[in-house]
Amino acid sequence: MEKLAKKLTIIKYGTNTLVTTDVNGEITIDQNNMKNHGLLISAIKNPVIIVSSGAVAFGKSLGSSFDYIEDNIIRKRVFAALGNPHLSINWDKVIQDKQVLQSLITHRDLTFEDSKEKIAEIIHALFDYKGTDNVVIQVNDNDFITDEALIEIRHGEFGDNDETTALLTILCQNVFEEVEVIVNTSSDGVLDNGKLLSKIKSSQLSDDYIEAICGADKTNDGTGGMRNKLKIFRDMVNAAPQSKLTIVNGKKPEQLNAVIRGKKIGTVICS
């Protein structure tokens, strides 16, 4: 497969960038924020893949409880199955003049050679033409079928779309000449004692340093948190050193706009 002489933009969304939670714990979709991000994605002319968390939270927002399911992981899988089409429909509504294709994949799909080849093949075919500005692939972890892989592949983390983003980036470096990754979180970037770190080399990100600056920051509706992200994206940059990764605040869509326009904002992680 010959590399496409194009730039791919992978945009990752954490759960907390797409929903809001009130004091009673009720989850609602942040429609205004999704609309603003959709408009920005609509304007991108090069190939775009969205890796979007939020299926579990979107499922919970519909009002069902599934309290009769005692196993918490199985209940989350059911919420993901309920929320995934809802998540995809919402992206399709806010992204204008583009066809949004939903792709539910697992970490296993991105680690086994046969499935990796199939994923690379369809991505290559979709974007191997001049009109690359009218298709967006929206990727989410297929949590409905991944019970046996939670520990082996995900190290105990449920629905880890940060890892999916990293594995997809490593795969796509063999499909595109350039891959840019933009990670939308609930923070303006990586902070060290309250100070924003504008640039970090992957060699600086030892486990001890990551623990020192992040601590225990894992979110409730997602499984990421900055600590988990830094470890995953450090390894990603080491495996795909030509890729560019920027962490920004997804609640401030102007930051995504700035990165798209080539401006320096947030935290860049590089080799």
Side-chain angles (χ1 to χ4, degrees):
M1 182 184 301
E2 185 177 349
K3 277 190 179 184
L4 299 177
K6 299 174 182 179
K7 172 185 174 181
L8 170 68
T9 301
I10 298 177
I11 307 176
K12 195 271 178 179
Y13 287 91
T15 297
N16 287 339
T17 66
L18 303 178
V19 300
T20 57
T21 307
D22 64 21
V23 292
N24 298 317
E26 295 294 323
I27 298 171
T28 56
I29 301 168
D30 192 340
Q31 297 285 1
N32 189 56
N33 199 43
M34 286 198 73
K35 180 180 178 180
N36 288 331
H37 279 272
L39 290 173
L40 292 172
I41 294 167
S42 301
I44 298 175
K45 298 303 181 183
N46 55 276
V48 177
I49 295 178
I50 301 170
V51 181
S52 182
S53 297
V56 173
F58 272 56
K60 289 180 179 179
S61 76
L62 297 176
S64 300
S65 64
F66 301 107
D67 287 341
Y68 59 90
I69 301 177
E70 295 182 0
D71 188 295
N72 184 50
I73 295 296
I74 293 178
R75 190 163 60 251
K76 282 187 174 183
R77 289 169 59 196
V78 172
F79 275 125
L82 178 64
N84 261 319
H86 195 47
L87 176 65
S88 187
I89 288 170
N90 273 268
W91 277 122
D92 190 57
K93 286 180 179 178
V94 299
I95 298 175
Q96 301 178 357
D97 302 321
K98 293 179 185 285
Q99 293 179 310
V100 178
L101 284 64
Q102 185 187 49
S103 173
L104 294 177
I105 59 178
T106 69
H107 289 209
R108 186 180 298 275
D109 297 325
L110 288 166
T111 53
F112 289 173
E113 288 303 318
D114 182 60
S115 52
K116 281 170 60 178
E117 288 180 8
K118 286 181 170 58
I119 293 169
E121 179 182 66
I122 194 169
I123 291 173
H124 188 282
L126 276 169
F127 294 116
D128 186 21
Y129 63 102
K130 292 182 179 180
T132 58
D133 60 339
N134 67 348
V135 176
V136 173
I137 302 174
Q138 182 246 311
V139 174
N140 194 10
D141 234 9
N142 192 357
D143 297 311
F144 192 71
I145 62 171
T146 53
D147 189 30
E148 80 286 351
L150 292 176
I151 295 176
E152 284 185 32
I153 298 179
R154 303 161 190 240
H155 312 292
E157 298 289 356
F158 176 84
D160 192 346
N161 276 295
D162 292 320
E163 184 71 18
T164 298
T165 301
L167 292 171
L168 189 61
T169 300
I170 294 169
L171 175 66
C172 285
Q173 71 175 336
N174 297 318
V175 180
F176 296 88
E177 285 192 351
E178 182 182 355
V179 180
E180 178 178 32
V181 183
I182 307 170
V183 180
N184 289 282
T185 70
S186 54
S187 169
D188 287 343
V190 181
L191 304 178
D192 186 357
N193 291 321
K195 181 181 178 181
L196 178 67
L197 301 176
S198 60
K199 188 175 182 179
I200 309 174
K201 289 190 175 182
S202 58
S203 58
Q204 296 176 258
L205 292 172
S206 66
D207 287 349
D208 288 343
Y209 179 62
I210 292 173
E211 294 293 333
I213 64 175
C214 293
D217 67 343
K218 192 168 161 181
T219 57
N220 291 325
D221 292 309
T223 58
M226 194 61 74
R227 176 175 55 178
N228 196 41
K229 282 177 173 56
L230 290 179
K231 292 179 180 180
I232 289 171
F233 294 132
R234 170 198 63 195
D235 296 343
M236 184 204 84
V237 170
N238 288 336
Q242 74 274 32
S243 62
K244 176 186 177 184
L245 182 137
T246 307
I247 298 175
V248 296
N249 192 332
K251 286 294 190 182
K252 300 176 181 178
E254 64 271 16
Q255 293 195 1
L256 172 63
N257 187 38
V259 177
I260 292 171
R261 294 177 178 274
K263 297 181 179 180
K264 293 182 180 180
I265 197 167
T267 300
V268 174
I269 299 178
C270 58
S271 59

